[in-house]
Amino acid sequence: VTVVRTAKTDCAPACLEWIAADGRIDADTPALFKKVLKDLGPRKLPVFVNSNGGAVNSGIEIGRMIRAHGLDVFVTGSDIIACEPADKVCKRGPAKAVPKPHLARCASSCAFLLAAGTRRYVGPSSMVGVHQIASYQTRYKVLRQYRIQTKMVDGKRVEIDRELVSEKRVDEEMVRAKTPDSTYARIKSFFTEMG
């Protein structure tokens, strides 16, 4: 998630800038958006998204930020162009980029970003995908070692103290879980809020 400027050189002083948001939406993505939006201040740049989605909660959080700032959303990728080593102006300002709408995608939780746009744009060769929410639980197998103190009571060994000495994960398994109805209610509320 970063602010970029068109790589065209014949547009000065009004070269197009946008927020390029490419890749997976995960737990860290809202903080990236928050920083970019804070740095922009009152400026309103369009958001170009190209993502297969990711975390539902993060998508909803970013969507609310986009709506609160009144930003437009385009399903368009951004090819960022590396600065030439000697180009000090390029290194100071926003990175140069080329919009890539052909075969850009906005799937899964990216749909929350698209829905949040004040205006939403999807080109004829771009793709939007929505699906049922998939929920997973991670199950861990843990090896624990204890120091146990016992004493004899009526001829039987009885535990009187237990102290955990070490704990180590030895296996983990992702298991599909039923998505709670509350998740669907929150999603419905979000889409209603976004119009």
Side-chain angles (χ1 to χ4, degrees):
V1 180
T2 188
V3 173
V4 296
R5 174 177 288 152
T6 183
K8 291 183 179 181
T9 55
D10 59 350
C11 57
C15 294
L16 176 66
E17 290 186 349
W18 65 91
I19 299 168
D22 286 77
R24 182 166 176 74
I25 298 168
D26 61 26
D28 297 328
T29 312
L32 298 173
F33 262 93
K34 203 173 285 183
K35 181 185 180 329
V36 165
L37 294 172
K38 182 181 177 196
D39 291 347
L40 283 176
R43 292 178 58 206
K44 291 183 185 241
L45 296 181
V47 180
F48 287 14
V49 296
N50 185 32
S51 173
N52 285 328
V56 170
N57 292 338
S58 294
I60 289 173
E61 184 178 350
I62 295 164
R64 287 207 165 97
M65 284 186 245
I66 288 170
R67 179 54 64 91
H69 283 81
L71 306 178
D72 296 338
V73 177
F74 293 73
V75 178
T76 299
S78 301
D79 277 351
I80 297 176
I81 299 167
C83 293
E84 294 294 326
D87 190 348
K88 292 179 181 169
V89 173
C90 176
K91 289 179 181 179
R92 277 196 319 261
K96 293 180 183 176
V98 176
K100 295 299 249 183
H102 183 66
L103 300 181
R105 65 207 169 284
C106 183
S108 188
S109 64
C110 179
F112 300 121
L113 281 63
L114 180 61
T118 303
R119 291 180 291 188
R120 308 157 185 141
Y121 299 93
V122 181
S125 64
S126 300
M127 299 171 270
V128 174
V130 293
H131 60 82
Q132 183 176 359
I133 300 300
S135 296
Y136 295 90
Q137 290 180 339
T138 305
R139 295 183 181 163
Y140 299 101
K141 189 180 281 186
V142 179
L143 177 63
R144 293 184 178 125
Q145 291 184 332
Y146 294 92
R147 180 174 297 123
I148 300 173
Q149 186 177 8
T150 62
K151 72 176 185 176
M152 295 298 284
V153 176
D154 295 330
K156 293 183 181 179
R157 190 169 297 278
V158 177
E159 182 179 317
I160 58 169
D161 189 42
R162 176 183 293 238
E163 178 186 351
L164 181 63
V165 176
S166 70
E167 181 174 275
K168 181 172 102 174
R169 285 187 187 163
V170 292
D171 192 24
E172 75 177 58
E173 174 186 23
M174 287 280 269
V175 191
R176 183 106 187 224
K178 182 182 182 305
T179 301
D181 291 339
S182 61
T183 299
Y184 287 110
R186 199 163 27 98
I187 290 168
K188 180 180 178 182
S189 173
F190 174 81
F191 281 129
T192 301
E193 180 184 334
M194 296 301 133

